């Protein structure tokens, strides 16, 4: 959470707007490709985080309910509605 706050401050100073979606769960990681190998992540967890990011307002981090439950009171969070 502290890292996200620092990234937001740095991005703001540079005139860049960031957004992110966070979800927790299982996934599969692997190297894909022969000519130009790339490290990739697969699974419902990755898809859920991507959907959260797509619906996230600029300059924010959108958390899934599971992540919110795990963080509890450890982070300063605001409810953005349904």
């Amino acid at each position: 959470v502290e890292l996200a706050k620092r990234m937001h401050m740095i991005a703001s100073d540079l005139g860049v707007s960031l957004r992110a979606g966070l979800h927790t769960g299982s996934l599969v990681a692997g190297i894909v490709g022969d000519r130009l190998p790339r490290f990739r992540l697969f699974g419902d967890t990755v898809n859920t985080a991507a959907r959260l990011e797509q619906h996230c307002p600029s300059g924010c981090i959108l958390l899934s309910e599971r992540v919110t439950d795990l963080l509890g009171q450890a982070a300063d969070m605001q409810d953005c509605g349904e």
Side-chain angles (χ1 to χ4, degrees):
V1 175
E2 291 301 318
L3 177 61
K5 288 179 183 178
R6 289 183 59 206
M7 287 176 55
H8 178 68
M9 289 186 334
I10 292 169
S12 295
D13 292 344
L14 296 173
V16 176
S17 183
L18 300 176
R19 64 184 187 183
L22 294 180
H23 185 59
T24 184
S26 60
L27 56 85
V28 175
I31 306 292
V32 177
D34 292 329
R35 295 181 61 189
L36 185 60
R38 295 173 188 238
F39 183 76
R40 297 286 188 200
L41 301 173
F42 303 96
D44 289 340
T45 300
V46 177
N47 296 336
T48 300
R51 275 187 249 116
L52 288 168
E53 182 267 334
Q54 291 170 357
H55 292 93
C56 183
S58 185
C60 295
I61 300 172
L62 194 58
L63 309 176
S64 68
E65 186 175 354
R66 193 180 301 175
V67 172
T68 303
D69 291 342
L70 285 172
L71 288 175
Q73 299 299 320
D76 180 25
M77 297 177 273
Q78 297 176 353
D79 189 5
C80 65
E82 294 295 317

